[in-house]
Amino acid sequence: MDTKDRERLKKSILELKSGEIEFRSYTGHTRAKGGGWTAEPVPNKNGNWYKGVERVTREMKESGQPYVDPTDEKNTLSRITIYHGLRMDMSIPENRLIMKWLVEHDRLALSYEEGKGDPMKLYYIHDEIVETNNISKKYEVKKAALEAVTNLPDSSISKYVRNLGIPTFGKSPQQLRNMLYDVADKTPEKVLDLINDKRIELKDFVLRCLDHHIIRQSKTGEYTFNGQVLAPSYEGLLTWLANAQKAKSGDDAEILLAIKAELDKK
């Protein structure tokens, strides 16, 4: 499961304000069979606080409302023991506070499929409503990706396939479309992102120039044309091209015309 899928699952779980979710073990171990997993909030990368936990303030402490404080050993919302069959009522505010940091744990899968075959994930969240919604969403995304590929004109197919890193030489439009169908079937989000990329024309122009060695990348990462440095990085090159296209005159506009002239010869 990629990051986008996990973020979608996370959002679905955190939006729950009613009903129960159930924690299940991939091994089927209950608390009686071997304890469980005691989870605590995960520190941020910089280590100065915790993922999914709001910073504790004096106002929070004085409000009388529940809050999470990982620095306080007596704070009961800063740890939970997970075991097979444990159920959590999402209508309870305290449980929702726990869930906000619990879903940040890499050891907890947010669905059965996410952690299947991963030895690092011992438990997963089972919720029929969330699972049903996410399965529906998965097929909706796939349907949208396949339809988007179908609606692409033959004249534009090659640039999308090329930007996936797939060779296009000697392939008919239908062969290229079938390649996109295959990618859309396996990773539909990737195809939708590609088709909706507003810089696809610039990126394709760069790829064609690189393929024909018109624009070259040096060993230090710089992009050059006829020995002249255009940009120090790929993102910088896209920015340079965008600006050069907008310019009606000047050195950059002339260089871009020269690049296009070289590409037209190929």
Side-chain angles (χ1 to χ4, degrees), residues 140-160:
E140 287 173 6
V141 172
K142 181 177 289 191
K143 179 183 177 183
L146 292 171
E147 287 180 349
V149 172
T150 298
N151 293 329
L152 289 174
D154 286 353
S155 59
S156 68
I157 289 287
S158 60
K159 68 183 175 186
Y160 296 107

Side-chain angles (χ1 to χ4, degrees), residues 64-79:
Q65 299 299 314
Y67 62 90
V68 179
D69 185 358
T71 65
D72 182 0
E73 293 183 358
K74 295 181 180 180
N75 186 275
T76 58
L77 303 186
S78 298
R79 61 193 55 83

Side-chain angles (χ1 to χ4, degrees), residues 42-58:
V42 180
N44 288 327
K45 288 183 178 180
N46 56 20
N48 63 4
W49 198 240
Y50 300 83
K51 295 180 180 180
V53 178
E54 188 176 350
R55 283 189 175 275
V56 179
T57 63
R58 186 176 65 181

